[in-house]
Structures are given as structure tokens and as C-alpha cells.
Amino acid sequence: MCKICTYCGRWKKTIEIRLYDEKRRKVNVGDLIEFTNITTDEKLITKVTSIYTYKDFDELYENHNKVSIGYDEIKENGVVGIEVNLYNK
């Protein structure tokens, strides 16, 4: 499903940050989500306990413990925006 982060595996990062798109709007409290480490194929099954919606990432950052959202990892590694175009063979 998505790349598992070491913080999640050690239960420090407890909030997964995503855009609130159509797919994420279908997620409900009580749902199970499986994360897979694409390098080791290790799987981690988690249960959704809360859903927080905000207008932007800044508002989310202001309202949660930095460790719970993996902020230390962001601070250490930075962030990236990857622009893509449709590829037709």
C-alpha cells in the first residue's frame, strides 16, 4: 500500500499524513490498514482509531505532537514534490 516508515514500526509515528482525496474519504474509524516496507517486504497492520481533517498540512502540524506525525523524520530528511506526466509506451 505505501512505504512504511521506521517511526511507525517503532510506534513513534502514529498519524499517517495523506491528502484527503476520494480514496482517503472512504477510510473509517475501525478500518484496518496494511503498510508494507517496499525494501524488506515487512508488513504492519494498523487499526484506524481517529481521523483528523484540516484545511492544509500546516494546520495539521499545529495540532499534533511532532513525533506522532513523523516530523523528526521530515526535519532530518526534508520533503520532496515529484511532478509526473502520463507515460504512454
Side-chain angles (χ1 to χ4, degrees):
M1 182 169 207
C2 74
K3 181 180 162 193
I4 187 172
C5 117
T6 55
Y7 283 89
C8 198
R10 288 182 270 153
W11 291 107
K12 289 184 182 178
K13 179 184 175 200
T14 57
I15 298 174
E16 185 65 23
I17 302 171
R18 298 295 170 123
L19 293 176
Y20 196 45
D21 58 12
E22 184 178 332
K23 182 177 179 182
R24 280 28 169 231
R25 290 176 190 271
K26 295 177 183 177
V27 175
N28 295 299
V29 171
D31 287 353
L32 299 180
I33 299 177
E34 180 180 283
F35 294 95
T36 303
N37 182 317
I38 59 174
T39 304
T40 66
D41 207 34
E42 174 189 8
K43 297 186 184 316
L44 179 69
I45 297 174
T46 62
K47 186 174 186 176
V48 177
T49 57
S50 298
I51 297 172
Y52 308 100
T53 57
Y54 299 101
K55 66 179 181 177
D56 55 35
F57 288 113
D58 291 333
E59 187 178 355
L60 183 141
Y61 295 148
E62 291 171 7
N63 285 282
H64 293 279
N65 174 297
K66 304 298 186 220
V67 173
S68 71
I69 59 174
Y71 188 80
D72 290 343
E73 189 171 274
I74 293 168
K75 198 170 162 184
E76 180 181 324
N77 297 299
V79 296
V80 64
I82 300 173
E83 184 173 353
V84 297
N85 289 315
L86 185 61
Y87 175 75
N88 293 316
K89 288 184 177 183

